[in-house]
Each structure stands twice: as C-alpha cells, then as structure tokens.
C-alpha cells in the first residue's frame, strides 16, 4: 500500500508539472519574469537600450541539462516591435552554452535584447548560434547606465540572466536559439511560420496580452 501511495503521489506530481508546462503558462511566466526584472529600482535593463531594441526574448526558468557538461535547456518567446508596437510571441528554444557565474543555479531566467535588423533576421531563421552566427555581449545593468556603450552599439544581441535573486549581463557564446513550431501551433491554434511571426505578419493571440502589456509599459515606443 505504501508503494502504491507513493506511486500515486509521484504520478500526480508529474501530471501537475505537465499541466503547468504549457505555452500559456510559459507566456504568463515570461510576463511575470519581465515585470519583476523591470520593477527593480536600480538593477534593471536601461530604458535607453530597451527603447532601441527591435525584439525581446524571454526564457523563464532555463534548466541545467545533466546529460551535457555545461549545457542548458529552456523554452520561451521572442516578441518583436513593428511600427512602434509589440507583435505576437514567436516560440523559441535555447540549448547548449554556459551562462557564466550563474551556471550553478538550478534555474536561470534569460532576457535577450535583439538590437538591430541583422539580429532580427537571425531570430527569424530556423536556428543560430550566439557568438558564431550572431554577435552578442553582456548587457549593461542599471537604470542610469549609458545606452551608447560599445557593446550596445555593435552587438546584435545583448544578454541578461537572473538567478538566485541576482540580475546581470551575461555572455552566451555557444548557446543555440531555435524556433519551436509545436509551441507556436498550440499558441496560435494553427500552423504558423516562425519567420512570419517575428516579422509581424501574424496577429498576436489573446494569450500574449499580459506579456505585450508588460513590454508596452516599459517601452511604449521605438526610439531607434
């Protein structure tokens, strides 16, 4: 009976995890992560840099991959701006790489800012490797940090991570970012092209409302 009860409890936990690990849940979690980061009084992303970005990629709860030395795995969303308005979320996966000093954390939130059209074109592809296919740098932190740093002026992607309460710029060389067609299908209720989403050709789904609201609140217009 004890073994049977233990099995039932374990099965219930697995079912609960499966229910929570849905695209809608990840969209809500992405909105929460972004809100928490931007609500930090003096340790968030500089608004000057955020206002110049073309896309924001949010990967909540990236996990360590025990079967790959120094590897990570996570799922999240990229949202790009068109004519001053944030579009719909394009589902993405991240894998490989190593997230600097925060690699020891069990769970790490990632935020990537795509700073120019070349970076957006990378994001619209099937997959690319940070550092090899797209130039990246650790993003500056702090509301008053200068937006015109060498990194923000030249890098296609600025990367940030949050783990154990600490938020900082991070190097992501070797990290692979790829499209996630199965997640897009669930969010939009039909087959959609990831590139079309990134380029603003697909209307945002209702589930993206909270995340788009958070992005609009922190950066309502483009100043590029």
């Amino acid at each position: 009976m004890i073994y049977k009860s233990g099995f039932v409890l374990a099965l219930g936990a697995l079912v609960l995890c499966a229910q929570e690990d849905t695209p809608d849940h990840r969209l809500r979690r992405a909105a929460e992560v972004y809100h928490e980061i931007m609500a930090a009084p003096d340790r968030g992303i500089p608004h000057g840099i955020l206002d110049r970005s073309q896309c924001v990629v949010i990967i909540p709860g990236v996990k360590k991959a025990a079967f790959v030395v120094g590897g990570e795995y996570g799922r999240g969303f990229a949202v790009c701006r068109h004519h001053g308005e944030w579009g719909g979320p394009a589902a993405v996966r991240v894998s490989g790489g190593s997230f600097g000093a925060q690699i020891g954390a069990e769970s790490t939130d990632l935020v990537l800012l795509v700073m120019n059209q070349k970076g957006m074109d990378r994001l619209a592809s099937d997959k690319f490797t940070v550092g090899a296919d797209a130039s990246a740098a650790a993003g500056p932190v702090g509301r008053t940090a200068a937006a015109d740093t060498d990194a923000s002026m030249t890098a296609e992607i600025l990367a940030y991570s949050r783990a154990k309460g600490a938020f900082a710029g991070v190097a992501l060389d070797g990290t692979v970012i790829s499209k996630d067609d199965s997640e897009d299908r669930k969010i939009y209720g039909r087959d959609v092209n990831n590139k079309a989403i990134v380029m603003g050709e697909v209307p945002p789904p209702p589930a993206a409302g909270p995340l788009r609201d958070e992005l609009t609140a922190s950066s309502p217009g483009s100043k590029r």
Side-chain angles (χ1 to χ4, degrees):
M1 288 295 292
I2 294 176
Y3 293 129
K4 183 175 181 181
S5 298
F7 173 77
V8 171
L9 288 173
L11 181 60
L14 287 173
V15 171
L16 179 60
C17 289
Q19 290 174 339
E20 291 184 346
D21 191 31
T22 64
D24 284 356
H25 177 265
R26 276 192 291 279
L27 274 172
R28 292 193 299 271
R29 184 57 189 147
E32 292 169 359
V33 165
Y34 185 80
H35 175 81
E36 291 164 3
I37 289 172
M38 297 308 296
D42 58 358
R43 293 294 295 170
I45 300 171
H47 283 291
I49 289 178
L50 180 61
D51 287 342
R52 287 218 315 270
S53 67
Q54 292 197 214
C55 307
V56 175
V57 184
I58 305 171
I59 315 290
V62 176
K63 305 296 184 183
K64 291 171 63 177
F67 55 91
V68 179
V69 176
E72 303 287 324
Y73 175 80
R75 305 173 89 169
F77 305 94
V79 183
C80 297
R81 180 160 35 198
H82 301 276
H83 308 295
E85 294 187 3
W86 294 100
V92 296
R93 300 172 184 254
V94 297
S95 59
S98 178
F99 306 148
Q102 295 178 340
I103 191 71
E106 293 183 359
S107 179
T108 303
D109 300 317
L110 293 183
V111 177
L112 314 180
L113 302 186
V114 177
M115 301 305 297
N116 52 40
Q117 184 62 46
K118 189 174 181 181
M120 183 186 287
D121 291 341
R122 301 289 190 192
L123 195 59
S125 64
D126 288 348
K127 69 177 181 179
F128 66 95
T129 301
V130 177
D133 301 320
S135 63
V141 174
R143 296 287 181 251
T144 60
D148 294 330
T149 61
D150 290 342
S152 66
M153 295 297 290
T154 60
E156 296 169 38
I157 296 173
L158 296 179
Y160 298 87
S161 68
R162 185 183 68 163
K164 298 180 179 179
F167 180 69
V170 65
L172 293 180
D173 285 358
T175 299
V176 177
I177 300 177
S178 57
K179 64 178 183 176
D180 195 343
D181 289 334
S182 63
E183 293 292 272
D184 284 335
R185 191 177 304 112
K186 294 173 184 176
I187 296 169
Y188 290 86
R190 58 188 174 87
D191 288 331
V192 289
N193 184 280
N194 186 276
K195 181 177 180 179
I197 300 172
V198 170
M199 295 303 175
E201 300 169 3
V202 181
L211 179 55
R212 295 178 70 236
D213 288 346
E214 290 292 343
L215 291 167
T216 300
S218 62
S219 184
S222 174
K223 299 179 183 178
R224 294 189 304 275

